[in-house]
Amino acid sequence: MPIDNGPGFTYHARKSIPRITGRGPKPILKHPTVIVIAQNQPLDTDAHLRRKLADAEERAERQSARFPGMDLSAIQKGVHRNIMESLLFIDGRYMDLLDLMNFVRCGRRIPEITPENVTQHYSLANTVTLNGIYLYQYLLAHGYDPVVVQNYATADLPGLLEEDPLAVCISSNFIFMNDINEMGRVIKRIAPHVPVIAGGMLVKKVLNEGERFSDKTLDFMGGFHGHVDAFVVEAMGEATLVKLLAALRQGRDLDCVPNLAYFNGEGRMVFTPREQEEIHMDQTAIAWDRVPKNYLRNILPVNSSRGCYYRCRFCTYHWLFPKVHYKSMDVLKDELKRIDALGSVTHVRFTDDNFTANRERMTSVLEMMVAQGFGFTWSSFARASALRPELVRLMKASGCEFVDLGLESGSQTILDNMDKRLEKEQSLKAIQMLNDNGIESRGSFIIGYPGETVDTFSETIQFINQSGLPYYHPYLFYYTGNTLVHRERKTLGLEGLGLAWRHHTMDSMEASRLMAQMVERVDQSFTDGQAYVEEIYKLLRGEGYAPAEIRKLFRLKRGLQLSIKGIRAGERGSETEKILSELETLVR
């Protein structure tokens, strides 16, 4: 996703503001239909991965002129080769754990997963995200008839567009920019007159700099012309969206709507003035008993706060939500009671950026959950330094089953460089407390952050192996101008963008090569490469797999990957067969 700075865009002049419906004012209907596309979980993960890599390589080629001292394109391609080395391939196709389970269920054949049969297979395409449900409730309350597409890959767009919707809204929280462009192209081919609107976190990050974009990014965004009619450039964005929809209904020009980016009559992107929306967390609570049942699953997401206290130097989140906002206890309790009353929900995923940061509030939330005796388990993100024995015991008593820990490194030097405000010993103690209380955990680690060396990477490997951490997920350091570390780029020798970078102690080629070694070097903790362990874990729990069975599935996948690569010399054929046979007895 390009985030370039420099001249390029200009604020609008009124004479160039188009009406984007293409057919005059929309008739004022009582409940105009608005389609909301919430996510784009692929049915074919191999094709999705290859397209994502190709898009990144195209971007590196496009931006290479900005970095005359670097061969950005070659670096990006080298990084991708190393990433591919860290993944499981069978018959030339990339497989995550769910793909592997489908493979053995289908007689060791790769099944063709379609929108019609996807529910018969293990797939993240069957999951639900909060953004679509929230927009459903918000738009319904403002006089619209929202239709939520939980997953673009499984949607019947031609059928939906036959209903002549007022607009199609694409949330970028879980969708890449190139995918948004492709969705817009498809929608316009089917229904050219229907406005396409894109908003969400990624749109905010990409378009935030507005008029200061470079010509290269101007050219990139020009590719959206004719596919996406307007972008909502706001971290919240729902109030702006309602204003935009009202303008479409009334056939008004868009210069009266704040926080927009769109194309003028000459095909040039222009911006309207910014107005930051206020955050009212109690108003974001979902009345789950009023949500259509076809939008629900047995695992549901809940958000009880927004924002983060900390200012980790690699993170972009601090400038999106610089303050922490909470739902009141009564509102949160009511929302959870509505979920429990559905009678079908087995697990709740708290999507808070740091559910455990405020220990006093966290204790009150957990005591409330214990008192209510909810019939579902739950998972969340957690900060290792916030965990204490009494808090972890209360987490377990309230139904906690899995937490994501942002550990980031096993080297104190790197943690300090990141301004993580976390001691390595705190992480070790947190993992031990969670293990002692039977709570599964996944630790995330950033590989290649400025200051990283082979030695600090080895410290991370040693930390994971000695900590007892059940699962881990490695991220290659991603360099963007929206981070605090960007301000130190000259001191650190940091240059490049995205996954193609270098600094004084390492470049992304070396970092990705080290990251590819982790599957072999980490033998008691498990990962799934590019897939998210926590998403797979909760999906499998919803399918009835026990925690021990899920751990075994991850362990077998690692063993199969190493066997196929021939790392265990002399045992390649027989061991591969043995592992596949064991998987067949476990997968149901």
Side-chain angles (χ1 to χ4, degrees):
M1 66 206 78
I3 308 175
D4 303 53
N5 298 318
F9 290 109
T10 57
Y11 277 88
H12 65 271
R14 173 152 186 122
K15 63 182 181 180
S16 65
I17 304 302
R19 292 182 175 91
I20 64 176
T21 61
R23 53 179 177 178
K26 190 87 170 179
I28 302 300
L29 305 174
K30 185 176 181 181
H31 297 295
T33 300
V34 177
I35 297 173
V36 176
I37 300 177
Q39 64 172 329
N40 185 31
Q41 287 285 358
L43 301 181
D44 186 333
T45 55
D46 177 76
H48 182 75
L49 172 67
R50 294 178 190 278
R51 179 183 173 185
K52 185 169 69 171
L53 299 184
D55 287 344
E57 290 173 11
E58 187 275 332
R59 180 198 176 201
E61 181 67 31
R62 185 176 68 246
Q63 300 288 351
S64 60
R66 294 176 52 201
F67 306 95
M70 301 176 67
D71 190 341
L72 209 67
S73 180
I75 294 172
Q76 187 76 57
K77 290 176 181 177
V79 166
H80 288 166
R81 285 193 299 271
N82 291 333
I83 288 175
M84 299 281 267
E85 281 293 313
S86 70
L87 306 176
L88 171 65
F89 286 83
I90 295 179
D91 296 337
R93 290 177 59 90
Y94 161 65
M95 288 192 180
D96 63 18
L97 179 60
L98 299 182
D99 292 323
L100 177 60
M101 294 173 70
N102 291 328
F103 175 76
V104 299
R105 284 178 83 196
C106 295
R108 302 189 189 180
R109 292 183 299 104
I110 298 171
E112 180 184 0
I113 300 179
T114 67
E116 293 73 30
N117 70 19
V118 65
T119 57
Q120 301 169 29
H121 298 281
Y122 295 115
S123 174
L124 293 178
N126 296 320
T127 59
V128 59
T129 54
L130 187 59
N131 54 338
I133 300 295
Y134 174 64
L135 283 175
Y136 169 84
Q137 178 173 280
Y138 191 89
L139 291 174
L140 189 68
H142 285 80
Y144 296 93
D145 182 13
V147 176
V148 180
V149 174
Q150 299 279 20
N151 186 19
Y152 175 80
T154 60
D156 175 20
L157 271 183
L160 292 173
L161 291 169
E162 282 182 2
E163 300 299 318
D164 196 27
L166 174 65
V168 177
C169 303
I170 304 173
S171 171
S172 68
N173 290 7
F174 303 98
I175 302 175
F176 292 107
M177 291 299 290
N178 282 334
D179 292 333
I180 291 172
N181 197 4
E182 175 63 17
M183 290 177 190
R185 185 187 65 79
V186 172
I187 292 165
K188 290 295 188 181
R189 187 179 67 230
I190 300 170
H193 60 279
V194 174
V196 176
I197 302 164
M201 298 293 187
L202 182 56
V203 166
K204 168 67 173 177
K205 291 178 181 179
V206 171
L207 295 181
N208 189 63
E209 293 301 318
E211 69 279 5
R212 292 182 291 176
F213 277 131
S214 69
D215 288 340
K216 289 290 185 181
T217 301
L218 177 64
D219 291 342
F220 172 78
M221 292 306 304
F224 288 77
H225 185 220
H227 300 164
V228 178
D229 297 287
F231 297 89
V232 175
V233 189
E234 224 294 314
M236 294 288 288
E238 54 265 32
T240 298
L241 176 60
V242 166
K243 293 176 183 177
L244 173 56
L245 293 174
L248 295 179
R249 294 180 71 185
Q250 299 161 11
R252 291 185 284 114
D253 291 336
L254 301 187
D255 58 348
C256 62
V257 181
N259 304 322
L260 295 186
Y262 57 92
F263 298 97
N264 63 17
E266 291 75 45
R268 185 175 179 81
M269 182 167 274
V270 295
F271 290 81
T272 59
R274 304 288 177 86
E275 292 180 10
Q276 184 174 349
E277 296 184 18
E278 294 185 17
I279 299 175
H280 302 286
M281 284 302 300
D282 280 359
Q283 296 177 14
T284 69
I286 305 297
W288 292 97
D289 51 334
R290 301 177 187 174
V291 175
K293 285 185 169 50
N294 61 305
Y295 292 160
L296 303 178
R297 303 290 186 273
N298 61 358
I299 300 170
L300 293 180
V302 171
N303 185 248
S304 78
S305 67
R306 187 168 294 175
C308 183
Y309 291 107
Y310 300 93
R311 297 293 180 269
C312 301
R313 306 193 71 77
F314 56 82
C315 186
T316 62
Y317 197 74
H318 66 278
W319 65 271
L320 288 172
F321 299 104
K323 296 181 180 179
V324 182
H325 302 264
Y326 296 103
K327 279 179 184 170
S328 66
M329 193 64 60
D330 287 342
V331 169
L332 177 60
K333 178 170 69 174
D334 178 72
E335 184 172 3
L336 295 176
K337 288 174 68 175
R338 289 173 186 263
I339 289 176
D340 201 40
L342 293 173
S344 58
V345 177
T346 60
H347 188 86
V348 164
R349 171 72 174 173
F350 288 103
T351 64
D352 304 44
D353 311 289
N354 202 322
F355 191 52
T356 62
N358 185 325
R359 282 201 296 269
E360 182 177 348
R361 179 181 184 273
M362 180 67 176
T363 299
S364 297
V365 170
L366 297 178
E367 289 175 343
M368 175 269 291
M369 293 177 71
V370 170
Q372 292 295 318
F374 294 129
F376 50 76
T377 58
W378 62 270
S379 58
S380 73
F381 294 100
R383 185 173 175 85
S385 60
L387 301 184
R388 297 289 187 274
E390 62 277 8
L391 185 66
V392 175
R393 287 194 292 270
L394 196 52
M395 289 166 65
K396 180 65 176 180
S398 63
C400 180
E401 187 170 276
F402 193 104
V403 296
D404 297 316
L405 300 169
L407 304 179
E408 318 311 358
S409 179
S411 165
Q412 192 62 51
T413 298
I414 301 302
L415 291 172
D416 293 342
N417 288 353
M418 294 173 171
D419 194 21
K420 182 66 182 176
R421 304 183 191 182
L422 176 68
E423 299 295 324
K424 187 166 65 172
E425 288 302 315
Q426 291 176 311
S427 297
L428 291 169
K429 290 178 181 177
I431 295 166
Q432 185 63 56
M433 285 186 285
L434 293 167
N435 288 346
D436 288 347
N437 284 274
I439 298 175
E440 300 283 338
S441 60
R442 185 212 72 164
S444 63
F445 295 87
I446 296 174
I447 310 302
Y449 188 84
E452 186 88 277
T453 64
V454 172
D455 289 340
T456 61
F457 173 76
S458 294
E459 288 183 66
T460 295
I461 296 295
Q462 184 179 28
F463 173 91
I464 298 173
N465 282 332
Q466 295 179 354
S467 66
L469 182 68
Y471 301 99
Y472 72 98
H473 188 97
Y475 294 89
L476 190 63
F477 170 60
Y478 190 92
Y479 177 37
T480 170
N482 292 329
T483 54
L484 293 173
V485 71
H486 177 68
R487 301 177 186 177
E488 303 175 279
R489 60 192 181 278
K490 292 183 179 179
T491 301
L492 299 170
L494 181 57
E495 56 182 335
L497 82 167
L499 299 181
W501 47 259
R502 66 186 179 194
H503 51 68
H504 285 323
T505 60
M506 190 168 284
D507 61 34
S508 57
M509 286 273 284
E510 182 180 10
S512 60
R513 187 165 53 249
L514 292 172
M515 192 173 75
Q517 299 174 8
M518 296 182 76
V519 172
E520 180 182 358
R521 295 179 62 179
V522 177
D523 59 359
Q524 295 302 316
S525 184
F526 305 105
T527 188
D528 199 14
Q530 296 292 294
Y532 293 109
V533 169
E534 68 277 16
E535 296 296 329
I536 291 175
Y537 181 90
K538 68 184 183 183
L539 183 146
L540 293 179
R541 286 292 286 131
E543 293 291 335
Y545 286 84
E549 290 178 308
I550 298 173
R551 182 91 67 95
K552 186 175 182 180
L553 286 167
F554 276 96
R555 178 177 62 78
L556 289 171
K557 178 179 179 288
R558 173 184 181 269
L560 181 65
Q561 187 172 341
L562 296 181
S563 177
I564 288 175
K565 291 178 69 173
I567 289 176
R568 298 177 182 177
E571 296 292 332
R572 178 173 177 175
S574 60
E575 186 161 348
T576 298
E577 177 62 33
K578 176 183 175 183
I579 294 171
L580 287 171
S581 297
E582 195 168 356
L583 280 166
E584 286 170 334
T585 65
L586 184 58
V587 175
R588 48 186 183 267

